[in-house]
Amino acid sequence: MSTGLRYKSKLATPGEPGACPRARARLCPRRPPASHRVFPSLPRTPARTRTPTRPRPRRGQAGESGLGKSTLVHSLFLTDLYKDRKLLSAEERISQTVEILKHTVDIEEKGVKLKLTIVDTPGFGDAVNNSECWKPITDYVDQQFEQYFRDESGLNRKNIQDNRVHCCLYFISPFGHGLRPVDVGFMKALHEKVNIVPLIAKADCLVPSEIRKLKERIREEIDKFGIHVYQFPECDSDEDEDFKQQDRELKESAPFAVIGSNTVVEAKGQRVRGRLYPWGIVEVENQAHCDFVKLRNMLIRTHMHDLKDVTCDVHYENYRAHCIQQMTSKLTQDSRMESPIPILPLPTPDAETEKLIRMKDEELRRMQEMLQKMKQQMQDQ
Amino acid sequence: MDPLRQSPSPCSSRPSSPKTPPCEIHGYVGIEDVLDQVKIKAMKMGFEFNIMVVGQSGLGKSTMVSTLFKSKVWKCTLPGLGMPIPQTLQLKSVTHVIEEKGVKLKLTVTDTPGFGDQINNDKCWDPILGYINEQYERYLQEEILITRQRHIPDTRVHCCVYFVPPTGHCLRPLDIELLQRLCRTVNVVPVIARADSLTLEEREAFRRRIQHNLRTHCIEVYPQKCFDEDINDRILNSKIRDRIPFAVVGSDQEYLVNGRCVLGRKTKWGIIEVENMAHCEFLLLRDLLIRSHLQDLKDITHNVHYENYRVCRLNESHVLPRGPCWVNLAPTPPGPPVAPGPSKVCRQAREDSDDDEDDY
C-alpha cells in the first residue's frame, strides 16, 4: 500500500520472500561490529506483546536537490531504491512543488525482519521562492499521526499499521557557513513533530578543520534558534565502558558529516564503497574519512528503538493531546454532551482502502474459522 | 562585416573602410615599432579590470578571487565567513593595484554576499542588475560632458563570474532566472564552484546538462558565438565553449607536493592541487580571464553592452544624436532600463542610424 510511487521498483513488495537477495545480503559491515548489539532492543519491543508485527521504522529525509540524499540511502541500507529514477530537467523544476515519495523495503538479517519505509522529498528548496516549502512535509507527518489516531480510536485495533515518521534526516549543505534560512524554517516547523537528525551532506568537499568549524557553527545556531533536534539518551551507569565511550563519541560528532556512495572502488588492495577522485579515494566506511559508520550504527544498531519510542511517547502524544483539545473545545462550542472517548468522524474510505478492509476482514474470518476447526479437532481427540 | 557587430572601437586594427586597397611597400619602414609605442603608453597608463563574482554564500567566491590574482584581495576577514547572512543583497567592491613586471593592473572586485540565500529569492537579481547599469550610467554621464576627461575612469563590470553550486543535477530555476537577465547586460562566465565534491564523470555529466540548459533557455555566456570575428577566433572560442562551465577549486593555502609548493586543499585522502589540470580547471579560468581574453572582455563590454545601454537611454530620452554636438539627456528614469538581447538592439541601432542619414 505504498501510495504515490512514481517509478517501478525492482524490489519485492512486502511479503514476497526471496525476491530481493541484494536487500537481504550484508547489512552488517565486513568488520565485526564493535558493540555486539545488532537490533539490541528488539526482544523488549512492546509490539511483541500484541501481535507478531515486524518492527517498521519509517524514515523521512529532506534537503535541497543534489545533496546526496538518495545515494546515502543506498549506502545505508545497501539497496538500490532509486535505480529507475528520472531526474527532472531545469524546465520541469521551475513549476515543480515539493513531492512526497514513499518507498518500502523489507530487510532481513539473522531471522530478524525489518520493514523500512523511506520517504523522500524531491523539490524541497529548489524553487526561487521557497516560502513554506516545508508545508507538504508537515502535512504528510500530520496525516500519518492522524491516521494512527483514527486507527487507535477505531474498532479493529489488531492490525494497526504504524506509518508515523520515526526519524527525519535533514541534509545541510556543506557549502554554506552554517544553517541557511530555509534550514532554520524547516527545522522549526518540524522539530515538535518528528525526531530531526541533522547531517552535513557531501562532506568530502571539506577539509577536517572546515568540518570542525561547520559542526560548531551548526551546533551554536541550533541553540540560538531554539531548535529541538533529536537528543541521544543518556546511557545507564551500569553500561560497560566501551559503550559509554562510544556514546560520548557519538554525541560529540553530531551533526554527522556524511558521504554516500554506490560504487565500489579498489583502495589499498581492498574493495570498498567509496568515491574515486584524481587526488585520492574517499572510503565511505572509514571512520577517519567521515561519520557514515556512526550514523548507520546510531540509526540501525543502537538508537532505532529509542527513535520510535520518542516518536510514540513524545511527538505523537503531543499531537494527540492537541487534537483532543481541539475536538473538545469544538464540542463545547457546539454545546453537545462531552464525550469521554474522543470519536473522530469516520472518513469516507476510498475504493482501495475499502478493498483492503474487505480483504483483511476476509482473512480474519478465515483464520477464525480455522481456529474453530482446530478447536473442534482437539476436542474430538 | 558582421552586421551584428557594433562600430569598431578606436583601438581596433580594422581599416576604416573595407574598400581601401592594400599598398605594397618596397623596403623596411619601421611600422612595427608602433607596437612598442603602444606598449610604452600602456605601461604608463596601466590597465583596468572590473570583475564581479555572483553566487550563493559558501561557494568559494572570495577564495577564488584571491587564488586568481594570487593576492589577499580581501584584506580584512573574508566577507561572509563567520558573519551572519545579510538580510538583503549587499554589493561590496574593493579596488587594488596589482603590479607584475612593470605592468600595473587596477583591479576592482565586486562581491555579492547574500545572493540567493533567503527563503524567498524572488527578484534578488535586481540589486545586481542595478549596480551594473549604474556603472554604465556613470560612464555615460562622463562621456556626454562637453569637456570630458582625457581618460574616463572605467568602473563598468567587464566580466561577471557566476558560481553554480555543484549539485550534479542541472541548473536550478534561480540560476536560470539570473543568467537570462545577466547575459543581456554583461559578459557572464559560469563556473562549477567547489568542484572537489564531484568525481570526474559526475563533472562531465553535470557540464553537459548545464550546457543543454543554457542552450534551451537561449543564454549566451562568454565567449558569445555571435562575436567571433574570424575563423581563428571561432576555433579558439569553440574549444573554450566546449569546456564551459569550468569546474574550479580555489585555495589560498600552500602545501608541499613532490618537492613543489602548490596551492591546494589538504584532505585525509589526498591533496587537491588547484593548478593541476588533472584535478580541476582553475587554470582554464585564469587563462581565459587574464591571459588570453582580458582585452576582449573589455572590448565587448565597451562595444556591445555599453552601447546597448547607451542606445536604450537615448531612445528613452527621445533625442537621437545629431552629428558632433552633445546630447540633451533626460534625467535617469527610476529602475534600470530593460535592454533586449544584444543582437536585437544592434539591428535596431543600425536601422536608426540609417534613418538618421536619410534625414540629412
Side-chain angles (χ1 to χ4, degrees), chain A residues 71-349:
Chain A
T71 314
L72 189 78
V73 164
H74 285 184
S75 314
L76 270 174
F77 300 103
L78 296 170
T79 56
D80 212 355
L81 293 175
Y82 298 98
K83 214 172 187 176
D84 298 326
R85 176 174 75 154
K86 177 176 153 288
L87 287 173
L88 290 183
S89 66
E91 303 82 58
E92 287 162 352
R93 269 169 209 244
I94 286 173
S95 47
Q96 196 201 14
T97 50
V98 180
E99 269 184 82
I100 304 282
L101 292 181
K102 269 190 338 190
H103 201 109
T104 310
V105 64
D106 273 331
I107 305 178
E108 182 177 333
E109 184 187 82
K110 293 188 182 156
V112 184
K113 296 196 184 86
L114 178 69
K115 190 186 181 81
L116 176 73
T117 307
I118 312 271
V119 181
D120 200 354
T121 54
F124 178 79
D126 264 355
V128 176
N129 184 355
N130 291 312
S131 311
E132 304 274 311
C133 61
W134 47 80
K135 196 151 183 318
I137 301 170
T138 41
D139 286 347
Y140 175 81
V141 173
D142 282 340
Q143 216 177 47
Q144 307 312 308
F145 279 155
E146 194 188 307
Q147 184 63 48
Y148 194 83
F149 189 25
R150 279 184 208 284
D151 288 346
E152 214 184 31
S153 327
L155 297 169
N156 187 358
R157 305 211 307 179
K158 288 196 188 145
N159 292 319
I160 299 182
Q161 284 214 332
D162 187 359
N163 289 330
R164 299 172 291 185
V165 180
H166 300 121
C167 171
C168 173
L169 300 175
Y170 189 73
F171 289 68
I172 299 172
S173 167
F175 308 122
H177 295 302
L179 293 179
R180 290 222 169 101
V182 163
D183 301 335
V184 176
F186 174 88
M187 291 205 267
K188 290 207 79 147
L190 267 118
H191 63 164
E192 303 289 355
K193 294 183 200 274
V194 77
N195 298 316
I196 298 185
V197 176
L199 303 174
I200 299 175
K202 289 198 170 175
D204 53 350
C205 70
L206 297 173
V207 296
S209 56
E210 289 168 352
I211 294 185
R212 249 196 325 272
K213 275 196 213 128
L214 187 61
K215 282 189 183 181
E216 267 171 33
R217 191 75 197 278
I218 292 177
R219 279 196 285 256
E220 271 170 26
E221 290 186 341
I222 285 177
D223 280 335
K224 183 172 109 174
F225 290 106
I227 299 170
H228 306 306
V229 294
Y230 172 69
Q231 301 291 338
F232 303 120
E234 298 299 329
C235 50
D236 301 328
S237 49
D238 58 349
E239 299 282 3
D240 52 38
E241 262 314 304
D242 246 356
F243 188 69
K244 281 193 189 159
Q245 173 67 16
Q246 267 193 343
D247 195 60
R248 258 198 304 272
E249 279 173 21
L250 203 69
K251 290 193 177 132
E252 278 161 23
S253 332
F256 299 128
V258 292
I259 302 167
S261 165
N262 288 336
T263 46
V264 178
V265 292
E266 187 93 23
K268 295 177 206 142
Q270 271 197 320
R271 288 179 69 75
V272 289
R273 279 186 168 251
R275 287 172 67 74
L276 176 63
Y277 289 113
W279 47 86
I281 298 179
V282 182
E283 295 167 45
V284 166
E285 290 179 10
N286 185 336
Q287 297 236 35
H289 288 187
C290 71
D291 296 331
F292 173 80
V293 173
K294 291 203 180 80
L295 172 70
R296 186 180 57 194
N297 288 347
M298 193 274 290
L299 271 187
I300 301 174
R301 297 209 186 130
T302 47
H303 290 75
M304 186 198 290
H305 200 69
D306 187 60
L307 285 165
K308 291 178 69 176
D309 275 350
V310 175
T311 310
C312 295
D313 299 339
V314 179
H315 300 300
Y316 173 66
E317 290 300 315
N318 282 341
Y319 173 83
R320 192 169 161 274
H322 179 71
C323 235
I324 293 175
Q325 255 184 348
Q326 276 193 327
M327 283 192 312
T328 49
S329 64
K330 195 164 176 285
L331 283 175
T332 50
Q333 269 176 14
D334 293 348
S335 58
R336 278 156 61 180
M337 284 284 285
E338 259 192 48
S339 167
I341 303 168
I343 301 171
L344 288 170
L346 288 171
T348 43

Side-chain angles (χ1 to χ4, degrees), chain B residues 159-178:
Chain B
C159 177
C160 178
V161 183
Y162 183 68
F163 287 69
V164 177
T167 57
H169 294 330
C170 61
L171 286 181
R172 302 165 304 158
L174 176 64
D175 300 331
I176 293 179
E177 292 282 325
L178 176 79

Side-chain angles (χ1 to χ4, degrees), chain B residues 128-146:
Chain B
I128 298 175
L129 293 173
Y131 176 84
I132 295 173
N133 285 319
E134 199 187 296
Q135 308 314 307
Y136 288 151
E137 183 63 27
R138 233 180 253 187
Y139 196 87
L140 183 63
Q141 293 297 332
E142 291 285 336
E143 209 183 35
I144 58 175
L145 290 176
I146 297 175

Side-chain angles (χ1 to χ4, degrees), chain B residues 3-136:
Chain B
L4 296 176
R5 250 308 196 175
Q6 280 284 358
S7 48
S9 64
C11 38
S12 162
S13 54
R14 224 172 286 134
S16 45
S17 150
K19 298 236 172 38
T20 317
C23 181
E24 274 193 35
I25 48 176
H26 306 293
Y28 177 72
V29 176
I31 299 176
E32 62 172 349
D33 292 338
V34 168
L35 290 173
D36 286 335
Q37 296 171 34
V38 170
K39 188 172 166 190
I40 294 172
K41 263 229 162 104
M43 300 270 278
K44 264 197 221 155
M45 270 188 25
F47 297 90
E48 281 169 318
F49 190 54
N50 306 325
I51 184 174
M52 181 189 263
V53 283
V54 183
Q56 281 186 314
S57 62
L59 287 181
K61 304 186 293 291
S62 323
T63 313
M64 179 54 61
V65 171
S66 304
T67 321
L68 272 171
F69 296 100
K70 290 224 165 106
S71 53
K72 294 236 178 295
V73 176
W74 308 98
K75 288 229 164 75
C76 45
T77 42
L78 292 177
L81 192 64
M83 286 186 244
I85 293 175
Q87 285 305 309
T88 52
L89 177 55
Q90 300 157 7
L91 284 96
K92 287 198 177 104
S93 267
V94 73
T95 308
H96 288 282
V97 176
I98 304 177
E99 186 169 332
E100 190 186 66
K101 292 193 183 150
V103 180
K104 292 198 199 67
L105 177 72
K106 184 170 165 216
L107 175 73
T108 304
V109 182
T110 309
D111 195 0
T112 53
F115 172 77
D117 284 332
Q118 306 307 321
I119 295 181
N120 184 358
N121 292 311
D122 214 11
K123 306 238 184 322
C124 65
W125 43 80
D126 279 348
I128 298 175
L129 293 173
Y131 176 84
I132 295 173
N133 285 319
E134 199 187 296
Q135 308 314 307
Y136 288 151

Side-chain angles (χ1 to χ4, degrees), chain B residues 147-215:
Chain B
T147 24
R148 355 185 236 201
Q149 300 179 46
R150 191 157 163 222
H151 175 71
I152 303 175
D154 190 2
T155 54
R156 300 170 294 186
V157 178
H158 299 127
C159 177
C160 178
V161 183
Y162 183 68
F163 287 69
V164 177
T167 57
H169 294 330
C170 61
L171 286 181
R172 302 165 304 158
L174 176 64
D175 300 331
I176 293 179
E177 292 282 325
L178 176 79
L179 285 171
Q180 275 178 328
R181 290 174 167 81
L182 268 188
C183 281
R184 292 183 230 146
T185 344
V186 73
N187 297 319
V188 179
V189 177
V191 295
I192 299 174
R194 304 286 287 258
D196 52 346
S197 63
L198 297 171
T199 59
L200 294 179
E201 299 86 20
E202 288 167 355
R203 266 189 223 168
E204 270 317 303
F206 190 34
R207 197 199 316 271
R208 296 294 158 219
R209 269 184 238 127
I210 293 182
Q211 285 172 349
H212 176 74
N213 289 152
L214 293 176
R215 273 195 298 271

